[in-house]
Amino acid sequence: MALRLTRKAREELEAMIRHQCGEARLYRRARIVLLAASGESKSSIARQLGTNRTRVGEWLYRFEQDGVEGLQDYERCGRPKTISTPERHQVIATACRSPREFGIDRTIWTHETLREALISADLVREISTTTLGAVLDEAEIKPHRVKMWCHSNDPDYEKKMWAIVRLYVRRPNGEPVLCIDEKTGMQALSRARDLQPAQAQRDARFEFEYRRNGTRCLFGCFNIGTGRVIGRCTTSRKRDDFFSFMDLVASVYRQRR
């Protein structure tokens, strides 16, 4: 008997198959369910996808129990995280601020003073200096080289920040989350002479001199879910340049939101 699908479930599964930048494992799992819904047997599905009946049966069972969400991997077992992801963000943000903002009479952080500030400000429940150091190393932050960071004085900053963080972490289904920004003042340089090819016992060489060709502005749009980037370089950064780039983004992403 063929597996029965709701209209919403079928649309989500077909979207997973069409998604060119999606994960291959989710593509295979979605195909398993769609093939079963079309009346294919487990043996037939296994032959088409190069797997076995047991694996096909497992994913069909997961789908029947939890729907499309059941096709995602479970949380891996292992040692539980000592601090949560928001707490890791707070460690990094605090390391980029001045110790004096936390009532500590220092201009630079040590791991111990940073740990005390995080706990006393109730930004983390508990953290060791070893874990704190690992978090900073992963973020490539060396607080002993940082004196202060220009942090927002907006009283609603935390509320606005968490609204954006939640949007990044829990992206709406079927709707892209786009990050759009610009990089200005990039020098457009060119070499004064062509590359001199390598010769015996001598590397290829570039002439030291270069020519200045003005500056350029880069507009960029980054899709949080797929990693796709849309970019455009312009000679100016005016209102019309920005609106023209937004028209380009709107022509690529035609969703309602």
Side-chain angles (χ1 to χ4, degrees), residues 119-132:
I119 295 175
S120 62
D122 199 26
L123 297 176
V124 300
R125 294 161 296 175
E126 182 59 48
I127 188 172
S128 66
T129 54
T130 301
T131 302
L132 188 149

Side-chain angles (χ1 to χ4, degrees), residues 83-93 123-124 161-162 165:
I83 62 173
S84 64
T85 299
E87 288 175 331
R88 294 173 71 87
H89 295 165
Q90 292 291 3
V91 170
I92 295 171
L123 297 176
V124 300
M161 177 192 71
W162 286 118
V165 170

Side-chain angles (χ1 to χ4, degrees), residues 32 58 81 97 102 118 136 139 163 170 176 182 186 218 247:
I32 287 174
E58 288 176 355
K81 294 181 179 180
R97 297 169 65 180
F102 295 85
L118 288 164
L136 296 179
R170 301 187 185 92
E182 61 184 5
M186 299 185 301
L218 171 64
D247 288 339

Side-chain angles (χ1 to χ4, degrees), residues 162-177:
W162 286 118
I164 295 174
V165 170
R166 283 192 294 269
L167 185 61
Y168 274 48
V169 175
R170 301 187 185 92
R171 301 188 303 274
N173 291 328
E175 296 175 335
V177 177

Side-chain angles (χ1 to χ4, degrees), residues 4-238:
R4 299 185 64 180
L5 297 178
T6 64
R7 180 179 178 182
K8 180 180 179 182
R10 183 178 292 277
E11 290 175 350
E12 292 181 5
L13 292 168
E14 290 176 346
M16 292 168 66
I17 290 179
R18 291 194 304 269
H19 188 25
Q20 297 181 356
C21 299
E23 298 180 25
R25 55 188 175 182
L26 292 180
Y27 170 84
R28 288 194 299 269
R29 295 165 191 173
R31 282 205 64 195
I32 287 174
V33 177
L34 288 173
L35 287 172
S38 67
E40 296 281 352
S41 66
K42 294 180 182 179
S43 299
S44 174
I45 296 172
R47 285 195 300 271
Q48 293 183 54
L49 300 183
T51 183
N52 55 66
R53 294 182 75 258
T54 302
R55 183 60 57 85
V56 171
E58 288 176 355
W59 289 115
L60 291 178
Y61 176 78
R62 287 268 294 270
F63 178 80
E64 291 173 350
Q65 295 297 312
D66 302 318
V68 177
E69 292 297 325
L71 302 183
Q72 300 286 344
D73 287 335
Y74 288 139
E75 290 286 342
R76 294 184 179 273
C77 60
R79 184 176 180 180
K81 294 181 179 180
T82 55
I83 62 173
S84 64
T85 299
E87 288 175 331
R88 294 173 71 87
H89 295 165
Q90 292 291 3
V91 170
I92 295 171
T94 304
C96 294
R97 297 169 65 180
S98 170
R100 289 197 173 93
E101 294 184 42
F102 295 85
I104 300 175
D105 190 19
R106 294 181 61 91
T107 56
I108 59 175
W109 290 108
T110 65
H111 283 185
E112 186 58 38
T113 55
L114 180 56
R115 173 182 175 275
E116 293 174 357
L118 288 164
I119 295 175
S120 62
D122 199 26
L123 297 176
V124 300
R125 294 161 296 175
E126 182 59 48
I127 188 172
S128 66
T129 54
T130 301
T131 302
L132 188 149
V135 172
L136 296 179
D137 286 343
E138 183 179 352
E140 298 183 357
I141 293 178
K142 298 177 175 59
H144 59 282
R145 296 183 182 178
V146 178
K147 292 185 178 180
M148 66 177 299
W149 177 44
C150 186
H151 195 66
S152 174
N153 293 321
D154 185 350
D156 296 326
Y157 173 78
E158 291 285 334
K159 180 180 178 180
K160 296 174 182 177
M161 177 192 71
W162 286 118
I164 295 174
V165 170
R166 283 192 294 269
L167 185 61
Y168 274 48
V169 175
R170 301 187 185 92
R171 301 188 303 274
N173 291 328
E175 296 175 335
V177 177
L178 308 177
C179 176
I180 298 176
D181 207 346
E182 61 184 5
K183 182 175 177 61
T184 62
M186 299 185 301
Q187 293 193 58
L189 306 177
S190 61
R191 297 288 176 179
R193 294 182 178 83
D194 293 335
L195 171 70
Q196 299 298 308
Q199 298 180 10
Q201 299 182 351
R202 192 177 74 175
D203 296 335
R205 295 184 299 170
F206 267 128
E207 171 65 37
F208 178 79
E209 295 182 17
Y210 57 86
R211 296 190 182 93
R212 296 179 183 272
N213 301 298
T215 60
R216 296 293 184 271
C217 173
L218 171 64
F219 291 97
C221 169
F222 177 68
N223 188 316
I224 304 302
T226 66
R228 181 182 183 184
V229 175
I230 300 173
R232 171 183 285 177
C233 281
T234 60
T235 57
S236 61
R237 184 176 64 94
K238 298 180 179 179

